[in-house]
Amino acid sequence: MEAGAPFHQDPGQMTRSPSAGAVRAADDSAAGWVTFACAYLAIAGGMHVIWGIVALSNKSAFHENGLVWSKLDTWGWVAIVLGALQMVAALMIYVRRFAGLWLGGLLAVAGIFLSFLAAGAYPLWSVMALVANGLVLWAVTVHGDGFDG
């Protein structure tokens, strides 16, 4: 043996391989994207519910003339219903249901349309909701392999 390094033939002296769970498998990263999609869909749903409640109760906070069509009352109820459905879909995504993946994606698209069409009433809030819904759509389409199905 050279360089003074001892050589052990005894198996008890050899380095053991890592125990189960010590090294994360490459496909476990899908769990992080499922959590990401769930969290951002819940955030987007909460934003829509808040937007809808404020639209119904405090019309002075919005520029109703900036809406593409209809009245603020209509958009308020649409936002509340959409936000509640997004929160349900977030729970379905959390428990990794394949239907939650599809529902979350469809509701994210609906949220993008809602935010785009209502951007004239409250532009900053709509842009934040657009980003949240866009991130959800990206997470469920690009990283949707972590779901049952």
Side-chain angles (χ1 to χ4, degrees):
M1 180 87 348
E2 296 179 27
F7 178 70
H8 299 286
Q9 299 245 347
D10 182 21
Q13 298 290 328
M14 295 174 62
T15 305
R16 288 184 267 163
S17 59
S19 61
V23 178
R24 191 168 63 158
D27 60 348
D28 283 348
S29 66
W33 290 111
V34 170
T35 305
F36 179 87
C38 169
Y40 267 89
L41 191 58
I43 289 168
M47 289 178 72
H48 284 117
V49 168
I50 291 169
W51 192 98
I53 290 171
V54 173
L56 293 174
S57 64
N58 186 10
K59 294 184 190 323
S60 65
F62 296 92
H63 302 289
E64 192 164 1
N65 296 336
L67 292 171
V68 175
W69 59 272
S70 195
K71 296 187 180 215
L72 199 54
D73 289 335
T74 304
W75 285 109
W77 282 110
V78 168
I80 289 172
V81 170
L82 178 65
L85 289 173
Q86 283 180 322
M87 289 184 186
V88 169
L91 289 174
M92 290 175 69
I93 289 174
Y94 181 73
V95 295
R96 293 183 181 223
R97 296 292 177 232
F98 191 68
L101 172 76
W102 282 96
L103 186 61
L106 289 172
L107 291 173
V109 170
I112 288 170
F113 282 125
L114 172 70
S115 298
F116 180 73
L117 293 173
Y122 204 126
L124 182 61
W125 190 270
S126 294
V127 168
M128 291 187 315
L130 271 167
V131 169
N133 284 298
L135 288 171
V136 170
L137 186 60
W138 174 72
V140 299
T141 54
V142 175
H143 301 285
D145 54 351
F147 294 86
D148 295 336

